[in-house]
C-alpha cells in the first residue's frame, strides 16, 4: 500500500453515535485527544450514524494540513432521504432516521457514494476507499465495484483501494482476482481467534496487500482486563467457552505484568502484514487509554506461555 498510516488508527464509528449519543463537544474532544497522542489515521463510513461520523471528522480536520493525516471511508451503502420516525438504533446508531441505506456496489454507486462522502468530509479526496461489507453482493462487488475503485485510484482520486469485512474468505478472492491494495479485516485475526492466519494473511503478504486490523477485541471480549461472564463476542452474548478461554488468556497476561487489551493489540501488531490496528473511540479517555496500549510492548515469553497452554496457535 502506497499510503502510510499510523499504527494506531482511529475508528470513527463511535463518534457517529454508535449505540448511544455522543455530543459534538465530546466527539471533538475524542478526536483531539487522539491527535495529541500522535494518531494521524482516521477511518469512517457513511454507515456510521447516517453520515454523522463523516461530518464530525471533516469538521475536526478542517484547517489542518492535508498532508499530515490519512482518511479512509467506505462505499456500498448509499444514503437516501427518508422520513422515518425515531432513531436508527435498529442499525446500531442513536441518530434520527433522516436517511435510509441502500446497498449499491455498482460503478455508479461507488462514484455517487464517494462524492457524497467528500462533501460531508469537506475534502477533495480520501486516501483509502473501501467496499463496505459486500458479503451478500460479492459478484457485483468484484465485477463492478472493485474495477470502479481501481479506476479512481489510477486517476489519482484516491490513494489506495480495497474492502472492509468481518470475514476473510471473500477478501481472499478479491486479493486473488483484482489489484486491491488493502483489506480492513474485522475480528478474524485476534488474540482469541486466528482463522485468517493460515491462508489469508500469507496471501496478502505474497501479493503486497496491507491489513488494517479492526475488531481486535472481538466486540468486547478482549477489551477489559477482567473478563465478565456477560461480555460480547461478534456483537452478541459471548459463548461460555469463549469467555473461559479469554479469562485463561487474561490470567497468563497478568503473570507477565500485562493486561488483556494490551496483549490483544500487541499480538495483532506483530504480524508483518498488519499496517495499522483500528480501535473505536468515542471519548477522550478512550483515546488516551488506547494510545497507551500501543506504547506498552509485552514480553515475548507471554506468547510462549500462551502456546504452551494451548491458547495460541503456532
Amino acid at each position: 500500500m502506497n499510503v502510510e498510516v499510523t499504527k494506531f488508527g482511529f475508528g470513527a464509528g463511535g463518534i457517529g453515535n454508535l449505540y448511544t449519543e455522543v455530543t459534538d463537544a465530546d466527539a471533538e474532544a475524542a478526536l483531539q485527544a487522539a491527535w495529541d497522542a500522535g494518531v494521524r489515521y482516521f477511518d469512517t463510513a457513511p454507515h456510521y450514524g447516517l453520515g454523522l461520523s463523516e461530518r464530525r471528522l471533516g469538521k475536526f480536520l478542517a484547517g489542518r494540513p492535508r498532508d499530515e493525516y490519512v482518511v479512509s471511508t467506505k462505499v456500498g451503502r448509499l444514503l437516501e432521504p427518508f422520513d422515518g420516525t425515531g432513531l436508527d438504533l435498529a442499525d446500531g446508531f442513536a441518530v434520527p432516521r433522516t436517511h435510509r441505506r441502500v446497498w449499491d456496489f455498482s460503478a455508479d454507486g461507488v462514484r455517487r457514494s464517494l462524492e457524497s462522502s467528500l462533501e460531508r468530509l469537506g475534502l477533495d479526496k480520501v486516501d483509502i476507499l473501501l467496499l463496505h461489507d459486500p458479503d451478500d453482493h460479492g459478484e457485483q462487488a468484484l465485477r463492478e465495484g472493485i474495477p470502479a475503485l481501481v479506476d479512481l485510484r489510477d486517476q489519482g482520486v484516491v490513494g489506495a483501494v480495497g474492502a472492509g469485512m468481518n470475514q476473510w474468505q471473500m477478501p481472499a478472492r478479491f486479493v486473488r482476482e483484482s489489484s486491491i491494495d488493502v483489506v480492513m479485516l474485522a475480528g478474524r485475526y485476534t488474540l482469541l481467534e486466528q482463522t485468517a492466519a493460515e491462508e489469508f494473511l500469507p496471501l496478502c503478504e505474497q501479493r503486497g496487500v496491507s491489513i488494517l486490523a479492526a475488531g481486535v477485541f472481538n466486540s468486547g471480549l478482549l477489551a477489559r482486563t477482567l473478563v465478565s461472564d456477560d461480555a460480547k463476542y461478534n456483537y452478541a452474548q459471548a459463548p461460555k467457552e469463549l469467555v473461559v478461554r479469554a479469562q485463561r488468556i487474561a490470567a497468563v497476561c497478568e503473570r507477565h505484568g500485562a493486561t488483556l487489551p494490551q496483549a490483544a493489540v500487541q499480538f495483532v501488531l506483530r504480524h508483518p502484514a498488519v499496517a495499522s490496528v483500528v480501535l473505536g473511540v468515542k471519548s477522550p479517555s478512550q483515546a488516551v487509554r488506547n494510545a497507551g496500549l500501543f506504547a506498552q510492548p509485552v514480553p515475548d515469553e507471554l506468547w510462549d506461555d500462551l502456546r504452551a497452554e494451548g491458547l495460541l496457535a503456532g
Side-chain angles (χ1 to χ4, degrees), residues 153-231:
R153 181 191 65 195
D154 292 347
Q155 296 165 20
V157 178
V158 299
V161 300
M165 302 188 69
N166 292 284
Q167 58 155 297
W168 63 265
Q169 290 86 351
M170 188 178 289
R173 185 181 176 194
F174 295 162
V175 171
R176 291 189 181 99
E177 299 182 25
S178 75
S179 62
I180 63 171
D181 310 291
V182 60
V183 171
M184 178 169 282
L185 181 67
R188 305 288 75 83
Y189 183 68
T190 73
L191 185 58
L192 185 73
E193 175 184 346
Q194 298 103 49
T195 55
E198 183 175 351
E199 179 180 341
F200 182 62
L201 295 185
L203 172 66
C204 289
E205 278 192 275
Q206 178 187 350
R207 298 297 179 90
V209 173
S210 298
I211 297 296
L212 305 171
V216 300
F217 298 142
N218 285 113
S219 306
L221 193 48
L222 304 180
R224 293 178 175 82
T225 300
L226 298 176
V227 182
S228 63
D229 290 337
D230 62 349

Side-chain angles (χ1 to χ4, degrees), residues 260-290:
L260 182 60
Q262 176 191 354
V265 168
Q266 293 293 331
F267 171 75
V268 176
L269 279 174
R270 295 174 75 239
H271 198 285
V274 174
S276 183
V277 173
V278 179
L279 300 182
V281 179
K282 63 193 312 181
S283 70
S285 60
Q286 277 188 347
V288 172
R289 176 253 197 183
N290 288 347

Side-chain angles (χ1 to χ4, degrees), residues 68-254:
E68 288 191 9
Y69 59 84
V70 169
V71 172
S72 61
T73 193
K74 307 182 185 77
V75 296
R77 291 173 172 91
L78 288 171
L79 302 183
E80 294 188 350
F82 183 61
D83 58 358
T85 59
L87 299 179
D88 186 48
L89 288 172
D91 280 294
F93 295 92
V95 296
R97 295 175 66 216
T98 57
H99 291 74
R100 64 173 184 167
R101 300 167 181 82
V102 177
W103 291 104
D104 192 339
F105 291 93
S106 69
D108 179 64
V110 166
R111 288 189 288 268
R112 287 170 55 199
S113 182
L114 175 60
E115 183 178 344
S116 296
S117 289
L118 291 175
E119 185 176 343
R120 287 188 290 267
L121 286 162
L123 299 174
D124 58 6
K125 70 174 293 185
V126 293
D127 305 283
I128 303 170
L129 190 61
L130 305 168
L131 299 182
H132 200 183
D133 297 333
D135 302 72
D136 297 326
H137 308 271
E139 291 305 318
Q140 185 183 44
L142 189 60
R143 187 177 65 252
E144 301 181 47
I146 289 179
L149 292 184
V150 171
D151 284 345
L152 290 167
R153 181 191 65 195
D154 292 347
Q155 296 165 20
V157 178
V158 299
V161 300
M165 302 188 69
N166 292 284
Q167 58 155 297
W168 63 265
Q169 290 86 351
M170 188 178 289
R173 185 181 176 194
F174 295 162
V175 171
R176 291 189 181 99
E177 299 182 25
S178 75
S179 62
I180 63 171
D181 310 291
V182 60
V183 171
M184 178 169 282
L185 181 67
R188 305 288 75 83
Y189 183 68
T190 73
L191 185 58
L192 185 73
E193 175 184 346
Q194 298 103 49
T195 55
E198 183 175 351
E199 179 180 341
F200 182 62
L201 295 185
L203 172 66
C204 289
E205 278 192 275
Q206 178 187 350
R207 298 297 179 90
V209 173
S210 298
I211 297 296
L212 305 171
V216 300
F217 298 142
N218 285 113
S219 306
L221 193 48
L222 304 180
R224 293 178 175 82
T225 300
L226 298 176
V227 182
S228 63
D229 290 337
D230 62 349
K232 294 289 189 290
Y233 169 78
N234 274 10
Y235 311 105
Q237 178 70 42
K240 177 64 177 177
E241 63 270 19
L242 288 183
V243 171
V244 171
R245 183 179 179 86
Q247 289 170 338
R248 291 180 62 200
I249 294 173
V252 176
C253 292
E254 185 177 5

